[in-house]
């Protein structure tokens, strides 16, 4: 993996997504603040979507947009060779 796809970059992307999901803006015509769930595509809950219902296309989706999932690692033995699997292996498996 190159520097474009590193744990630091993925964590920064996840942080940016969290900040964007929490952003609100005043909508004069609505007379209230609006947020992501007011404008997002939420096919599984279109009438009362929460931020978690919004369809987001991002590499962090492979980790359910969850920092704990992204940082998981585990010991694994493949034949005679022990090793550690982490986000790299999960991403390769998914894509």
């Amino acid at each position: 993996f190159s520097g474009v796809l590193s744990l630091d970059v993925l964590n920064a992307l996840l942080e940016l997504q969290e900040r964007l999901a929490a952003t609100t803006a005043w909508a004069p015509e609505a007379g209230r603040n609006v947020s992501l769930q007011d404008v997002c595509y939420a096919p599984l809950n279109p009438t009362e979507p929460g931020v978690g219902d919004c369809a987001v296309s991002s590499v962090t989706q492979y980790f359910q947009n969850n920092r704990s999932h992204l940082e998981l690692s585990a010991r694994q033995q493949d034949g005679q060779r022990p090793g550690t699997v982490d986000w790299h292996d999960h991403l390769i498996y998914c894509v």
Side-chain angles (χ1 to χ4, degrees):
F1 289 92
S2 71
V4 173
L5 197 58
S6 69
L7 187 57
D8 289 340
V9 170
L10 292 173
N11 273 313
L13 178 58
L14 189 54
E15 181 180 333
L16 176 61
Q17 284 178 205
E18 290 167 351
R19 288 178 44 208
L20 289 173
T23 300
T24 61
W26 177 253
E29 290 183 17
R32 64 182 181 88
N33 281 329
V34 294
S35 62
L36 177 63
Q37 61 256 35
D38 293 310
V39 298
C40 77
Y41 175 61
L44 299 179
N45 189 6
T47 55
E48 293 290 327
V51 172
D53 297 317
C54 298
V56 176
S57 296
S58 171
V59 68
T60 60
Q61 241 351 81
Y62 291 111
F63 306 95
Q64 293 78 43
N65 290 322
N66 184 309
R67 192 174 315 280
S68 297
H69 294 174
L70 177 60
E71 295 177 354
L72 282 175
S73 65
R75 297 282 299 152
Q76 177 176 314
Q77 180 124 1
D78 179 17
Q80 298 298 318
R81 297 177 297 154
T84 302
V85 294
D86 61 7
W87 68 272
H88 297 95
D89 304 284
H90 182 75
L91 192 58
I92 289 169
Y93 179 78
C94 288
V95 296

